Amino acid sequence: MTVNLEVAEGVGTLRLDRPPMNALDVATQDRLKELAEEATRREDVRAVVIYGGEKVFAAGADIKEMQAMDHTAMVLRARALQDAFTAVARIPKPVVAAVTGYALGGGCELALCADYRIAGENAKLGQPEILLGLIPGAGGTQRLPRLIGPSKAKDLIFTGRMVKADEALALGLVDRVVPASEVYEQAHAWAARLAQGPALALRAAKEAVDAGLETDIDTGLTVERNWFAGLFATEDRERGMRSFVEEGPGKAKFL
């Protein structure tokens, strides 16, 4: 399989496994969607790590496969391509991308689908589609400017240039830079900590933030208000508040 889902301690690792560069061909895209939807459904998966291995995250689309596709073929495929990445972005649980080596084109777009990005010192990220006479087609023109702002996103998209980990951190494209050998360990630790948290509240927080980014402030506040009030009906809220009153802050156990 080109993508695998491995589950341990409440953390599901979506592991890309298509050597040597984890090129995201059609089969890999479809498998990614299938496993993202599985991670969404599974109750034993409470947080997710996206990982490409020690050497490379994903170097982008399979260019040879794309070269053979004409306009009609891509019209028929483009929605499925976006749907695969959207399935990752809509996992209603904390998702962290563990980025080593190249994360280019579709690889960068996949990292953008995560809630948090930890990059190795050897990471190189970018949207080089313009160098092929194309634009990003798996969400890059939409998620990248929402993350780092339109002018910075346009610079990367217009030039197709790669950025190293330190510049990616300065741009806000990644959230933490660590030695390459520690990327997965730290990403898993981030996910494992959240896997111990209140699942419904984490889902609510993610959906409120994401929905709010897509709408006006008043609608966003309505989404927040509804989730906030709704959580008062949950066992996790009862447990968290009871623990706070009886034991002090930060000691509640949600599993």
Coordinates of all heavy atoms in Angstrom, one line a residue, residues 13-16 22 49-59 95-126 147 163-166 168-169 173-188:
T13 N -1.1 7.2 12.8 CA -0.1 7.7 11.9 C -0.5 7.4 10.5 O -0.5 6.2 10.1 CB 1.3 7.2 12.2 OG1 1.7 7.6 13.5 CG2 2.3 7.7 11.2
L14 N -0.7 8.4 9.7 CA -0.9 8.2 8.2 C 0.5 8.3 7.6 O 1.1 9.4 7.5 CB -1.8 9.4 7.7 CG -3.3 9.2 7.9 CD1 -4.0 10.5 7.4 CD2 -3.9 8.0 7.2
R15 N 1.0 7.1 7.2 CA 2.4 7.0 6.8 C 2.4 6.8 5.2 O 1.9 5.9 4.7 CB 3.0 5.8 7.4 CG 4.4 5.4 6.9 CD 5.5 6.5 7.1 NE 6.7 6.2 6.4 CZ 7.7 5.5 6.9 NH1 7.6 5.0 8.2 NH2 8.8 5.3 6.2
L16 N 3.0 7.8 4.5 CA 3.2 7.7 3.1 C 4.3 6.7 2.9 O 5.3 6.8 3.5 CB 3.5 9.1 2.5 CG 2.5 10.2 2.7 CD1 3.1 11.5 2.2 CD2 1.2 9.9 2.0
N22 N 7.9 9.4 -2.4 CA 6.4 9.5 -2.0 C 5.6 10.4 -3.0 O 4.8 11.2 -2.6 CB 6.3 10.1 -0.6 CG 6.8 9.1 0.5 OD1 6.7 7.9 0.3 ND2 7.2 9.6 1.6
V49 N -1.0 11.8 13.1 CA 0.3 12.3 12.5 C 0.3 12.0 11.1 O 0.0 10.8 10.7 CB 1.5 11.7 13.3 CG1 2.8 12.2 12.7 CG2 1.4 12.0 14.7
I50 N 0.7 12.9 10.2 CA 1.0 12.6 8.8 C 2.5 12.6 8.6 O 3.2 13.6 9.0 CB 0.4 13.7 7.9 CG1 -1.1 14.0 8.2 CG2 0.5 13.3 6.4 CD1 -1.7 15.1 7.5
Y51 N 3.0 11.5 8.1 CA 4.5 11.3 8.1 C 4.9 10.6 6.8 O 4.2 9.7 6.3 CB 4.8 10.5 9.3 CG 6.3 10.2 9.5 CD1 7.2 11.2 9.5 CD2 6.7 8.9 9.7 CE1 8.6 11.0 9.7 CE2 8.1 8.6 9.9 CZ 9.0 9.7 9.9 OH 10.3 9.4 10.2
G52 N 6.0 11.1 6.2 CA 6.5 10.5 5.0 C 7.7 9.6 5.2 O 8.2 9.1 4.2
G53 N 8.2 9.6 6.4 CA 9.4 8.8 6.6 C 10.6 9.7 7.0 O 10.5 10.9 7.0
E54 N 11.8 9.1 7.2 CA 12.9 9.9 7.7 C 13.5 10.8 6.7 O 14.2 11.8 7.0 CB 14.0 8.9 8.3 CG 13.5 8.1 9.5 CD 14.5 7.1 9.9 OE1 15.6 7.0 9.3 OE2 14.3 6.4 10.9
K55 N 13.4 10.5 5.4 CA 14.1 11.2 4.4 C 13.3 12.2 3.6 O 13.8 13.2 3.1 CB 14.7 10.2 3.4 CG 15.8 9.3 4.0 CD 16.4 8.4 3.0 CE 17.5 7.5 3.6 NZ 18.1 6.6 2.6
V56 N 12.0 11.9 3.4 CA 11.2 12.8 2.6 C 9.7 12.7 3.0 O 9.2 11.7 3.4 CB 11.3 12.4 1.1 CG1 10.8 11.0 0.8 CG2 10.6 13.4 0.2
F57 N 9.1 13.9 3.0 CA 7.7 13.9 3.3 C 6.9 13.5 2.1 O 6.3 12.4 2.0 CB 7.3 15.3 3.8 CG 5.8 15.4 4.2 CD1 5.4 14.8 5.4 CD2 4.9 16.2 3.5 CE1 4.1 14.9 5.8 CE2 3.6 16.3 3.9 CZ 3.2 15.7 5.1
A58 N 6.9 14.4 1.0 CA 6.3 14.0 -0.3 C 6.8 15.1 -1.3 O 6.6 16.3 -1.0 CB 4.8 14.0 -0.2
A59 N 7.4 14.6 -2.3 CA 8.0 15.5 -3.3 C 7.0 16.0 -4.3 O 7.4 16.7 -5.3 CB 9.2 14.8 -4.0
V95 N -4.5 17.1 14.1 CA -3.7 16.6 13.1 C -2.4 17.3 13.0 O -2.4 18.6 12.9 CB -4.4 16.6 11.7 CG1 -3.4 16.0 10.6 CG2 -5.7 15.8 11.7
V96 N -1.2 16.6 13.0 CA 0.1 17.3 12.9 C 0.8 16.6 11.8 O 0.8 15.4 11.6 CB 0.9 17.1 14.2 CG1 1.0 15.7 14.7 CG2 2.2 17.8 14.1
A97 N 1.5 17.5 11.0 CA 2.3 17.0 9.9 C 3.8 16.9 10.4 O 4.3 17.9 10.9 CB 2.2 17.9 8.7
A98 N 4.4 15.8 10.2 CA 5.8 15.6 10.6 C 6.6 15.6 9.3 O 6.6 14.7 8.5 CB 6.0 14.3 11.3
V99 N 7.3 16.8 9.0 CA 7.9 17.1 7.7 C 9.4 16.9 7.7 O 10.1 17.6 8.4 CB 7.5 18.5 7.2 CG1 8.1 18.7 5.8 CG2 6.0 18.7 7.2
T100 N 9.9 15.9 7.0 CA 11.3 15.8 6.7 C 11.6 15.9 5.2 O 10.7 15.5 4.4 CB 11.8 14.4 7.2 OG1 11.0 13.4 6.6 CG2 11.6 14.2 8.7
G101 N 12.7 16.4 4.9 CA 13.1 16.5 3.5 C 12.1 17.3 2.7 O 11.6 18.4 3.2
Y102 N 11.9 16.9 1.5 CA 11.1 17.7 0.6 C 9.6 17.6 0.9 O 9.0 16.5 1.1 CB 11.3 17.2 -0.9 CG 12.6 17.5 -1.4 CD1 13.6 16.5 -1.7 CD2 13.0 18.9 -1.7 CE1 14.8 16.8 -2.2 CE2 14.3 19.2 -2.2 CZ 15.2 18.2 -2.4 OH 16.4 18.5 -2.9
A103 N 8.9 18.7 0.9 CA 7.4 18.8 0.9 C 7.1 19.8 -0.2 O 6.9 21.0 0.1 CB 6.9 19.2 2.3
L104 N 7.0 19.3 -1.4 CA 6.8 20.2 -2.5 C 5.5 19.9 -3.3 O 5.0 18.8 -3.3 CB 8.0 20.0 -3.5 CG 9.4 20.3 -3.0 CD1 10.4 19.9 -4.0 CD2 9.5 21.7 -2.5
G105 N 4.9 21.0 -3.8 CA 3.7 20.8 -4.6 C 2.6 20.1 -3.7 O 2.2 20.6 -2.7
G106 N 2.1 18.9 -4.2 CA 1.1 18.2 -3.4 C 1.6 17.9 -2.0 O 0.8 17.8 -1.1
G107 N 2.9 17.7 -1.8 CA 3.4 17.4 -0.5 C 3.3 18.6 0.4 O 2.9 18.4 1.6
C108 N 3.5 19.8 -0.1 CA 3.3 21.0 0.7 C 1.8 21.2 1.0 O 1.4 21.5 2.1 CB 3.9 22.2 0.0 SG 3.8 23.7 0.9
E109 N 1.0 20.9 0.0 CA -0.5 21.0 0.1 C -1.0 20.0 1.2 O -1.9 20.4 1.9 CB -1.2 20.8 -1.2 CG -0.9 22.0 -2.1 CD -1.4 21.7 -3.6 OE1 -0.9 20.7 -4.2 OE2 -2.2 22.5 -4.1
L110 N -0.4 18.9 1.2 CA -0.8 17.9 2.2 C -0.4 18.4 3.6 O -1.2 18.3 4.6 CB -0.1 16.5 2.0 CG -0.5 15.4 3.0 CD1 -2.0 15.2 3.0 CD2 0.3 14.1 2.6
A111 N 0.8 19.0 3.8 CA 1.1 19.5 5.1 C 0.2 20.6 5.5 O -0.1 20.8 6.7 CB 2.6 20.0 5.0
L112 N -0.3 21.4 4.5 CA -1.2 22.5 4.8 C -2.5 22.0 5.4 O -3.3 22.8 6.0 CB -1.5 23.3 3.6 CG -0.3 24.1 3.0 CD1 -0.7 24.7 1.6 CD2 0.1 25.2 4.0
C113 N -2.9 20.7 5.1 CA -4.1 20.2 5.6 C -4.1 19.9 7.1 O -5.1 19.6 7.7 CB -4.5 18.9 4.9 SG -4.8 19.2 3.1
A114 N -2.9 19.9 7.7 CA -2.7 19.6 9.2 C -3.0 20.9 10.0 O -3.0 22.0 9.5 CB -1.3 19.1 9.4
D115 N -3.3 20.7 11.3 CA -3.5 21.8 12.2 C -2.2 22.4 12.7 O -2.2 23.5 13.1 CB -4.3 21.3 13.4 CG -5.6 20.6 13.0 OD1 -6.4 21.3 12.3 OD2 -5.8 19.5 13.4
Y116 N -1.1 21.6 12.6 CA 0.2 22.0 13.1 C 1.2 21.3 12.3 O 1.0 20.2 11.9 CB 0.2 21.6 14.6 CG 1.3 22.2 15.4 CD1 1.2 23.5 15.9 CD2 2.5 21.5 15.8 CE1 2.2 24.1 16.7 CE2 3.4 22.1 16.6 CZ 3.3 23.4 17.0 OH 4.3 23.9 17.8
R117 N 2.4 22.0 12.1 CA 3.4 21.4 11.3 C 4.8 21.5 12.0 O 5.2 22.6 12.4 CB 3.5 22.2 10.0 CG 2.5 21.8 9.0 CD 2.2 23.0 8.0 NE 1.5 24.0 8.7 CZ 0.2 24.0 8.9 NH1 -0.6 23.1 8.5 NH2 -0.4 25.1 9.6
I118 N 5.4 20.3 12.2 CA 6.7 20.2 12.8 C 7.7 19.8 11.7 O 7.5 18.7 11.0 CB 6.8 19.2 14.0 CG1 5.8 19.7 15.1 CG2 8.2 19.1 14.5 CD1 5.7 18.7 16.2
A119 N 8.7 20.6 11.4 CA 9.6 20.3 10.3 C 11.0 20.0 10.8 O 11.5 20.6 11.8 CB 9.7 21.5 9.4
G120 N 11.7 19.1 10.1 CA 13.1 18.9 10.4 C 14.0 20.0 9.8 O 13.6 20.7 8.9
E121 N 15.1 20.1 10.4 CA 16.1 21.1 9.9 C 16.4 20.9 8.4 O 16.9 21.8 7.7 CB 17.3 21.1 10.7 CG 17.1 21.5 12.2 CD 18.3 21.3 13.1 OE1 19.2 20.5 12.7 OE2 18.4 21.9 14.1
N122 N 16.2 19.7 7.9 CA 16.5 19.4 6.5 C 15.3 19.6 5.6 O 15.3 19.3 4.4 CB 16.9 17.9 6.4 CG 15.8 16.9 6.7 OD1 14.8 17.3 7.4 ND2 16.0 15.7 6.3
A123 N 14.2 20.1 6.1 CA 13.0 20.3 5.3 C 13.1 21.4 4.3 O 13.7 22.4 4.5 CB 11.8 20.6 6.2
K124 N 12.5 21.1 3.1 CA 12.3 22.1 2.1 C 10.9 22.1 1.5 O 10.5 21.1 1.1 CB 13.3 21.9 0.9 CG 14.8 22.0 1.4 CD 15.7 21.8 0.2 CE 17.2 22.0 0.6 NZ 18.1 21.7 -0.6
L125 N 10.2 23.2 1.6 CA 8.8 23.3 1.2 C 8.6 24.3 0.1 O 9.4 25.2 -0.1 CB 8.0 23.7 2.4 CG 8.0 22.8 3.7 CD1 9.1 23.3 4.6 CD2 6.7 22.8 4.3
G126 N 7.6 24.1 -0.7 CA 7.3 25.0 -1.8 C 6.2 24.5 -2.7 O 5.7 23.4 -2.6
L147 N -3.1 30.6 5.6 CA -2.1 30.3 6.7 C -1.1 31.4 6.8 O -0.8 31.9 8.0 CB -1.4 29.0 6.4 CG -0.4 28.6 7.4 CD1 -1.1 28.2 8.7 CD2 0.4 27.3 6.9
V163 N 11.6 26.9 0.1 CA 12.1 27.6 1.3 C 12.6 26.5 2.2 O 12.0 25.4 2.4 CB 11.0 28.4 1.9 CG1 10.6 29.6 1.0 CG2 9.8 27.7 2.3
K164 N 13.7 26.8 2.8 CA 14.3 25.9 3.8 C 13.5 26.1 5.2 O 12.7 27.0 5.3 CB 15.8 26.2 4.0 CG 16.6 25.9 2.8 CD 18.1 26.2 3.1 CE 18.9 25.9 1.9 NZ 20.4 26.1 2.1
A165 N 13.8 25.2 6.1 CA 13.0 25.1 7.3 C 13.0 26.4 8.1 O 12.0 26.9 8.6 CB 13.5 24.0 8.2
D166 N 14.1 27.1 8.1 CA 14.2 28.4 8.9 C 13.3 29.5 8.3 O 12.6 30.2 9.0 CB 15.6 28.9 9.1 CG 16.4 29.1 7.8 OD1 15.9 28.6 6.7 OD2 17.5 29.7 7.8
A168 N 10.7 28.8 6.3 CA 9.3 28.4 6.5 C 8.8 28.7 7.9 O 7.6 29.1 8.0 CB 9.3 26.9 6.3
L169 N 9.7 28.6 8.9 CA 9.3 29.0 10.3 C 9.0 30.5 10.3 O 8.0 30.9 10.9 CB 10.3 28.6 11.2 CG 10.1 28.8 12.7 CD1 8.9 28.0 13.2 CD2 11.3 28.5 13.6
L173 N 4.8 29.1 7.8 CA 4.5 27.9 7.0 C 4.6 26.6 7.9 O 3.9 25.6 7.7 CB 5.3 27.8 5.8 CG 5.1 26.7 4.8 CD1 3.6 26.5 4.4 CD2 6.0 26.9 3.5
V174 N 5.6 26.6 8.8 CA 5.7 25.5 9.8 C 5.7 26.2 11.2 O 5.9 27.4 11.3 CB 7.0 24.7 9.6 CG1 7.0 24.0 8.2 CG2 8.2 25.5 9.8
D175 N 5.4 25.4 12.2 CA 5.3 25.9 13.5 C 6.4 25.6 14.5 O 6.6 26.2 15.5 CB 4.0 25.3 14.1 CG 2.8 25.6 13.3 OD1 2.4 26.8 13.2 OD2 2.2 24.7 12.6
R176 N 7.2 24.6 14.1 CA 8.4 24.2 14.9 C 9.4 23.6 14.0 O 9.1 22.8 13.1 CB 7.9 23.3 16.0 CG 9.0 23.0 17.1 CD 8.6 21.9 18.1 NE 7.2 22.0 18.6 CZ 6.7 21.0 19.3 NH1 7.3 19.9 19.5 NH2 5.4 21.2 19.7
V177 N 10.7 23.9 14.3 CA 11.8 23.2 13.6 C 12.7 22.5 14.6 O 13.1 23.1 15.6 CB 12.6 24.3 12.8 CG1 13.8 23.6 12.1 CG2 11.8 25.0 11.7
V178 N 12.9 21.2 14.3 CA 13.7 20.4 15.2 C 14.7 19.6 14.4 O 14.6 19.5 13.1 CB 12.8 19.4 16.0 CG1 11.7 20.2 16.7 CG2 12.1 18.4 15.0
P179 N 15.7 18.9 15.0 CA 16.6 18.1 14.2 C 15.8 17.0 13.5 O 14.7 16.5 14.0 CB 17.4 17.4 15.3 CG 17.5 18.4 16.4 CD 16.1 19.1 16.4
A180 N 16.2 16.7 12.3 CA 15.4 15.8 11.4 C 15.2 14.4 12.1 O 14.1 13.8 11.9 CB 16.2 15.5 10.1
S181 N 16.1 14.0 12.9 CA 15.9 12.7 13.6 C 14.8 12.7 14.7 O 14.4 11.6 15.1 CB 17.2 12.3 14.2 OG 17.7 13.2 15.2
E182 N 14.4 13.9 15.0 CA 13.4 14.0 16.1 C 12.0 14.4 15.6 O 11.1 14.5 16.4 CB 13.9 15.1 17.1 CG 15.2 14.8 17.8 CD 15.6 15.9 18.8 OE1 14.8 16.7 19.1 OE2 16.8 15.9 19.2
V183 N 11.8 14.5 14.3 CA 10.6 15.1 13.8 C 9.4 14.2 14.2 O 8.4 14.6 14.7 CB 10.7 15.2 12.3 CG1 9.3 15.5 11.7 CG2 11.6 16.4 11.9
Y184 N 9.5 12.9 13.9 CA 8.4 12.0 14.1 C 8.1 11.9 15.6 O 7.0 11.9 16.1 CB 8.5 10.6 13.5 CG 7.4 9.7 13.8 CD1 6.2 9.9 13.1 CD2 7.4 8.7 14.8 CE1 5.1 9.1 13.4 CE2 6.3 7.9 15.1 CZ 5.1 8.1 14.4 OH 4.0 7.4 14.6
E185 N 9.2 11.8 16.4 CA 9.0 11.6 17.9 C 8.3 12.8 18.5 O 7.4 12.7 19.3 CB 10.4 11.5 18.5 CG 10.4 11.5 20.0 CD 11.8 11.4 20.6 OE1 12.8 11.4 19.8 OE2 11.9 11.5 21.8
Q186 N 8.7 14.0 18.0 CA 8.0 15.2 18.6 C 6.6 15.4 18.1 O 5.7 15.8 18.8 CB 8.9 16.5 18.3 CG 10.2 16.4 19.0 CD 10.7 17.8 19.3 OE1 10.0 18.8 19.4 NE2 12.0 18.0 19.4
A187 N 6.4 15.0 16.8 CA 5.0 15.1 16.3 C 4.1 14.1 17.0 O 3.0 14.4 17.3 CB 5.0 14.8 14.8
H188 N 4.6 12.9 17.2 CA 3.8 11.9 17.9 C 3.5 12.3 19.4 O 2.4 12.1 19.9 CB 4.6 10.5 17.9 CG 3.7 9.4 18.3 ND1 3.5 9.1 19.7 CD2 3.0 8.5 17.6 CE1 2.7 8.0 19.8 NE2 2.4 7.6 18.5

